[in-house]
Amino acid sequence: MLTYKDRLCCWAIARLLPSEQWIIVARFRSRSDADGHFQFLRQTIPHVKFEVVFDLSGDSNRLSALGSSANSLASVL
């Protein structure tokens, strides 16, 4: 069960790894904050692929395969 604090930060930036896995690199309370940080990351590290996602899992250290039925991420870009 997620704590109240964890439920507040459900927007996240996921780094997509070459092996079709992702890792959460940052969490945000609002979509606009996540989008702003996403733009910054895209400009400063252009060779790395990031996505803004809505993640209710609360597990920022988890690696998961994209497209998995157990995947709690829904891409919003």
Side-chain angles (χ1 to χ4, degrees):
M1 177 142 187
L2 294 175
T3 65
Y4 176 72
K5 184 179 177 183
D6 291 337
R7 287 183 293 193
L8 291 177
C9 298
C10 49
W11 289 100
I13 296 179
R15 179 179 176 180
L16 303 177
L17 303 174
S19 59
E20 293 193 16
Q21 293 186 335
W22 55 267
I23 187 165
I24 299 295
V25 295
R27 293 189 170 279
F28 303 91
R29 285 187 179 192
S30 71
R31 164 85 191 258
S32 63
D33 287 346
D35 284 337
H37 196 72
F38 169 75
Q39 294 295 329
F40 171 77
L41 288 173
R42 199 168 69 179
Q43 290 173 359
T44 57
I45 314 171
H47 62 281
V48 176
K49 187 167 181 183
F50 296 98
E51 280 195 43
V52 175
V53 295
F54 188 79
D55 180 26
L56 290 176
S57 71
D59 188 1
S60 61
N61 296 322
R62 186 180 72 186
L63 287 175
S64 178
L66 291 172
S68 167
S69 61
N71 192 350
S72 65
L73 288 179
S75 177
V76 291
L77 287 181

